[in-house]
Amino acid sequence: MALATRNVVPFDLELAAAGNTEVVRAELRAIESLGLREQIEDILITLSGQYHLIRLSSRPDLAGVFSYLVLDRGRSNLALARRALKALEDQLEL
């Protein structure tokens, strides 16, 4: 379930959030089945014209919460976007 959206993309963000929940679950299962003792920071999906960035919260009070950001590949800076999502997580209160 999306807690907040700012929709300036040409698709349904609610649907994308639901689909990305499955992406996160699949990645968590893969890490567990491989026996890795690692935590996911973020997941990057690269399309021909977009970046889709999923950042999982590392805060215990936000367990299971992730941020999802869609960027125009030609106009974005991926490193700055990752930093901005981390800053958002630090400020987020539920």
Side-chain angles (χ1 to χ4, degrees):
M1 173 190 341
L3 299 175
T5 63
R6 180 172 176 212
N7 191 359
V8 291
V9 293
F11 55 84
D12 182 349
L13 279 176
E14 289 285 337
L15 183 60
N20 284 317
T21 298
E22 295 305 315
V23 169
V24 170
R25 286 180 182 154
E27 188 63 26
L28 289 171
R29 282 192 305 269
I31 288 171
E32 182 179 349
S33 69
L34 292 170
L36 301 176
R37 298 188 188 276
E38 299 285 337
Q39 300 295 318
I40 299 172
E41 289 183 15
D42 53 43
I43 299 169
L44 174 64
I45 301 168
T46 306
L47 304 179
S48 60
Q50 299 174 343
Y51 292 126
H52 292 236
L53 186 58
I54 304 166
R55 179 173 176 82
L56 280 69
S57 176
S58 59
R59 289 177 29 195
D61 61 322
L62 295 176
V65 173
F66 66 84
S67 301
Y68 172 56
L69 181 63
V70 178
L71 301 164
D72 180 306
R73 190 170 172 167
R75 300 176 7 162
S76 60
N77 181 313
L78 195 52
L80 290 177
R82 291 181 75 213
R83 288 184 58 171
L85 283 181
K86 173 63 175 138
L88 174 68
E89 176 189 346
D90 293 342
Q91 298 171 5
L92 189 61
E93 293 184 31
L94 296 181

